[in-house]
Amino acid sequence: MTSWVDGASGSAYDVDNLPYAVFSADDDRPRVGVRIGDQVLDVTPVAAGEMLDVHEAFARDSLNPLMALGPTVWRSVRTWLTGLLTDEHERDVVEPHLRPLDDVTLHLPFTVADYVDFYCSIQHATNVGRIFRPDGEALLPNWRHLPVGYHGRAGTVVVSGTPIRRPSGQGRPPVPEPVEGSTGSTTGAGRPTFGPTRRLDIETELGFVVGAPTQLGESVPTSGFADHVFGVLPLNDWSARDIQAWEYVPLGPFLGKSFATSVSAWVTPLAALEAARVPLPGQDPEPLDYLQVAEPAGYDIAFEVLLNGEVVSRPPFSALYWSPAQMLAHLTINGASLRTGDLFASGTISGDERDQRGSFLELSWGGQEPFGEGRTFLVDGDEVTLRATAPGALGGRIALGEVTGVITPA
Ligand code: CA
């Protein structure tokens, strides 16, 4: 089974992928599109022509109405799309509604409700612990018992291609020169610095988009993951390390993160990742009952980090300690309800090897060990692109949408 669309068969965008976006072309209103090969299928007129009872959900400027319909509809729409794009008899009806990717503008694909960012890579958490707290335990006592996370800023999630302006903020006060004869402590001494961040960084992550909501008081068991999560997309959690290092104790990330989070314009349906499922690397100690998960709970998704077009790292999602089903179960175990459009992200993905680290903080070991061509943190004009692939159902690899951004001056 493969697509009749020119160039789609055997590509990373064959019918085993079929990611969704919101696009516009010419002066038309933004609406839902599906990628096949290097084309976008304008789903609305095809669905209306075939009197699909959910056709109005495609005519909207966000995926939220479609996502809110729930997993039974997601499955039937996917089956319908697969039929359209594989059956030669549909070609005459469908082909007029294919548009080359180059002719369309892509928009933020969904209205972001709440945004949570986790911290699920043990390699990343260990590296950051060693860099930020060289004299303490790298992993804090809670880390192996729960997926640590925080609530981020939903309103500053931006679509791939949006320029990222270098943020300004407070930094840790400089350590004063020792005064002769003084034994004084430096704690609290001096005023903090203020200015454009000098440690602007990336975090290579995968985001999960919630479609089907829950009621307040309800929890989603790990087995309910696919009933609520519509799809995934690569995500870059831009981070200002100097702002973060000064502000994060005791309540966690704040302005060092909230200035922008970039996401791909394409949401890959969770159903497209069935062939990518792999067992977790192993959890020790065994988590509490509500975090127990049926294997395979991990995903074999291979990321690449490109700095100005050069690959500088290849983080493996399969190395993640906590699975996304565990993240969702933990996120809701207190009865917090889910809304359509909720976004939660994995946290920085890092592997065991140096060239598998998902942030410049780790690649340059806190700026102490430059990587690539003498790089530490981002400079103005830098372009960062995250891309990812996974095994697809047709035996090849499917591509997840790219997420890219260029740094502009403060
Ligand atoms: Ca993060």
Side-chain angles (χ1 to χ4, degrees):
M1 186 179 66
T2 187
S3 178
W4 49 258
V5 174
D6 289 340
S9 181
S11 77
Y13 292 96
D14 203 341
V15 286
D16 54 348
N17 194 344
L18 301 181
Y20 291 92
V22 169
F23 79 100
S24 59
D26 308 323
D27 293 330
D28 284 347
R29 289 170 46 203
R31 56 198 182 272
V32 174
V34 169
R35 181 163 176 177
I36 179 75
D38 289 328
Q39 317 242 22
V40 181
L41 174 64
D42 186 356
V43 188
T44 305
V46 185
E50 299 210 354
M51 316 263 268
L52 212 66
D53 55 5
V54 297
H55 71 91
E56 285 177 2
F58 299 116
R60 310 289 287 273
D61 64 2
S62 107
L63 292 174
N64 293 46
L66 173 65
M67 299 196 302
L69 295 172
T72 306
V73 172
W74 307 339
R75 274 191 294 273
S76 63
V77 168
R78 187 169 171 81
T79 302
W80 172 69
L81 288 167
T82 303
L84 289 180
L85 295 165
T86 53
D87 184 350
E88 277 281 351
H89 294 102
E90 302 280 4
R91 188 166 186 157
D92 288 349
V93 172
V94 174
E95 202 158 36
H97 302 291
L98 291 173
R99 292 166 177 274
L101 259 184
D102 291 344
D103 293 355
V104 306
T105 302
L106 299 174
H107 305 274
L108 186 66
F110 60 102
T111 304
V112 184
D114 288 298
Y115 167 42
V116 165
D117 195 15
F118 284 98
Y119 193 52
C120 288
S121 159
I122 198 166
Q123 292 89 344
H124 172 70
T126 303
N127 288 340
V128 171
R130 286 185 182 141
I131 293 166
F132 276 22
R133 298 181 298 274
D135 302 324
E137 284 291 318
L139 282 187
L140 296 174
N142 58 5
W143 200 92
R144 286 174 181 270
H145 293 285
L146 54 85
V148 170
Y150 70 98
H151 279 89
R153 192 165 187 83
T156 54
V157 175
V158 297
V159 70
S160 176
T162 306
I164 303 300
R165 190 170 69 173
R166 181 179 298 274
S168 293
Q170 288 198 21
R172 185 176 276 147
V175 178
E177 295 293 322
V179 177
E180 203 163 330
S182 162
T183 59
S185 137
T186 58
T187 307
R191 283 155 66 83
T193 61
F194 183 86
T197 175
R198 298 169 66 176
R199 296 192 147 215
L200 186 55
D201 198 358
I202 65 159
E203 293 196 335
T204 306
E205 307 197 16
L206 189 66
F208 297 85
V209 188
V210 171
T214 61
Q215 297 291 320
L216 189 64
E218 199 180 326
S219 301
V220 178
T222 56
S223 60
F225 175 66
D227 295 332
H228 292 275
V229 170
F230 174 79
V232 308
L233 73 185
L235 178 149
N236 186 346
D237 174 25
W238 305 98
S239 300
R241 301 302 182 190
D242 38 8
I243 297 173
Q244 182 185 354
W246 170 233
E247 74 177 2
Y248 87 105
V249 179
L251 288 184
F254 189 29
L255 304 180
K257 301 278 195 176
S258 63
F259 56 95
T261 304
S262 296
V263 294
S264 167
W266 296 100
V267 180
T268 298
L270 198 63
L273 291 173
E274 273 301 303
R277 292 177 61 175
V278 289
L280 299 174
Q283 298 183 328
D284 182 24
E286 196 171 282
L288 296 184
D289 286 349
Y290 80 92
L291 289 172
Q292 302 263 335
V293 69
E295 292 282 20
Y299 290 92
D300 171 17
I301 300 172
F303 276 80
E304 287 185 328
V305 180
L306 289 89
L307 174 59
N308 301 322
E310 299 288 326
V311 175
V312 295
S313 182
R314 299 180 194 277
F317 188 87
S318 58
L320 226 63
Y321 186 93
W322 293 103
S323 66
Q326 292 171 311
M327 297 176 211
L328 187 63
H330 187 63
L331 176 55
T332 58
I333 191 59
N334 66 347
S337 47
L338 295 173
R339 292 191 290 172
T340 299
D342 277 359
L343 171 66
F344 64 96
S346 59
T348 309
I349 304 157
S350 290
D352 292 327
E353 306 301 324
R354 182 175 178 182
D355 63 2
Q356 295 180 323
R357 296 173 186 167
S359 67
F360 288 13
L361 175 75
E362 296 162 88
L363 285 165
S364 71
W365 206 255
Q368 302 304 302
E369 300 172 12
F371 65 97
E373 294 173 1
R375 297 305 299 267
T376 52
F377 295 96
L378 292 164
V379 300
D380 293 346
D382 275 348
E383 179 187 66
V384 176
T385 300
L386 309 180
R387 56 190 191 200
T389 64
L394 298 179
R397 290 186 82 82
I398 62 170
L400 280 61
E402 288 189 354
V403 55
T404 191
V406 172
I407 307 303
T408 62

